[in-house]
Structure formats: structure tokens, C-alpha cells
Amino acid sequence: MIRWRRGVVSSVGRSWEGAVELTVTVDSSPVRALAYPALVGAPVVGDAVLLNTTALSLGLGTGGYALVVALPDRLPPDPDVLDGPGHMVKGRYTPQQVTVLGVDEQDSPHHSLLASDVTLDGMPVVVADLHSALPAILAGIGPGRRVVYVMTDGGALPLWFSRSVATLRSAGLLAGTVTVGQSFGGDLEAVTLHTGLLAARHVLAADIAVVAQGPGNLGTGTPWGFSGVAVGEAVNAVSVLGGRPIGSLRISSGDARERHLGVSHHSLTAYGRVALAPADLVVPSPLPEPSAGRIEGQLAGLPDRHRLVRVDITGLDEALRALPVKLSSMGRGLDEDRVYFDAAAAGGRHAASLL
């Protein structure tokens, strides 16, 4: 259930696209908090705040913030939700449901385009399990390509939670964003992954799209109970829309959990059992020792419908280290789990080679 706290803003810290960090005094103690001004207004020092501290109390890896629910003494102006723009509701029937203009809804200038029989025109689409793969994929794609990030709703719902996306956009590595399903905050909003992909291609003029959930992967240690199962469904969506699905494999040589060592069971399940359409599954070359034998054995069990594509990773070290964001996945950086980031970057390199 939800843990609530009341406090007072004692300082306003750094901000990025759609979010601002705060220090809130709660029962005489400082609490690190995050506010989304588009939802609650812009907090200032001295504001009373209502906080949701659930994720902070649980110590979740991506939940190191209390979240501002409201500034009860200084509410933002009421938007005119009846007259628009937009009548698409996301976060539906939660206390903070939001109304957005969907790229595919009837009031959108792009509605007629998306109502027609358009396809992805063979566009390469890299699909990945974790949000942390996004920067590495972009490093592999390199400069000169128009890349759009399509964020699914398996992790964080507000795109604004991701500092990485804000930094990658500022650096010119991302041309745009689309939030699909219940996620929101992108340049474009879409009902489904399908219309989100079509909007990335035909509205934002993407050369390449990257599909991944927002920060905050959810897994239960069971064969089917993890949010990354949507990777297989993304492969099917890309295929049915006439795109080129490219699977970024989740590979690790540093994860202590047996189910994630080598090729993660997330990838083996999503690509092996959920994805019914063929995809290019990218394998970084060379694979690290002593994990190479284990990885090759796991790959051999994937269905023949997929194509294993070996991609030389020469030169990717420099590209990964030049990124403007810190590389981290499950608390491990580039030097702690190199093969994870190599695999993601190799997926990006393969996508760029198809253009």
C-alpha cells in the first residue's frame, strides 16, 4: 500500500526535462524528493508538500526519491480538460491521471495519417529489456542518425523520471521521444506501441527507433513474471508493421544471480517463447572469457526463426566512454559488466549498418 508523509520544502536542487529535485524536511529530517511540475506545479522553498514515500521506504534501486503528490496550499491552475488539447487519459483512474493529446486520437493533426495503411518502411527497431541499455545502443548507432526512443510502460510511467533521456536529448543523441500505453511525458503520446512506432517513423522522421521500458524494471524470479516479457511482444509489433526487429540481448558476466548469468532468462524467454516473428539477435564479438562457452550454449537453444548476427565490437569502448551519461545497470558500470553494454552497443551498431 502507499506510505504518505507531509513535509516542507527546504531547498530546490537541480532540474532536468520535466522534473526537479527537492529536499523536504519531514519530522525534522531531510528527505530527498522529486516533483513533476507539469503534474503538481513548481515547488519553492517553504511550500508544504504531500509525499508518497513508498518506493523510498522499500529501498528500490530506482526509487531513491519520495515523490511529491501535491502542494496542497498552492495548487496549480486547473487545465481546461474538456476543451483540450487532447482527451487521452493516462495513468487512468489513479489519483494523478493526466490528460494528453494522443498522436493517434481524433483531435490530432496526425490522426488521418495514422488511420491510413502506413508501415514502418523497413525501419530498424532495436528492442531492449532494460532502460539502462538505451545509452549504449545510442553509442553503437553513432552520430548522424535520427533516433527516436519509444518508451513502454513496464517501468516508470513519467518519461521525466529519466535523467538519462534528458541528457541524451541535450547532447543531440536522441531526436525525439514517444510514450506509449500508460506511460506519458514524451514529445508524442500514443495509445499503443504500434501507433507509437508509426508516429516515430512518420511524424518524428526516425531513421531508427529504440523500444525499451522506462527506469524501474520489475521482476519476480519466475519464468513469466517480469516486465521485460514485453520485449517479445515488441518484436511482433515491429514485424507486423513492416519494420526490421533487432533484439538487444541482455547478457551479463557480473550478475550473481544464476538466472541472469550469461544470457539472461529474460532474453531467452522473451525472444525464445514470446517473439513469434523472426528478429536479428545481435551477439557482440568477441564474447568474454570464461563466459563465452556458457553464452554460446544458451544461444544455441533459441528458435531457428531468429538470426544470430555477430557484430565486431572494435571501437565501441571509446564510444561508450564518450557518452554524456553514466553507464549503470543493476548497480554495475561499464568496467564491472562490460559484456552487458557491449551487447547493447552492438545492437545499435547493427541497426545503423542496415540503413
Side-chain angles (χ1 to χ4, degrees), residues 103 148-152 159 176-180 183 186-190 192 195-197 199-200 204:
V103 69
V148 172
Y149 171 45
V150 181
M151 191 178 101
T152 60
L159 180 90
T177 58
V178 185
T179 37
V180 306
S183 67
D187 295 318
L188 299 175
E189 307 280 359
T192 66
T195 49
L197 286 167
L204 297 180

Side-chain angles (χ1 to χ4, degrees), residues 67 70 84 123 162 166 176 202-203 214 221 235 268 290-291 296 351:
L67 295 173
M123 179 179 69
S162 175
H202 295 286
V203 179
V235 168
L268 296 175
S291 305
E296 292 288 3

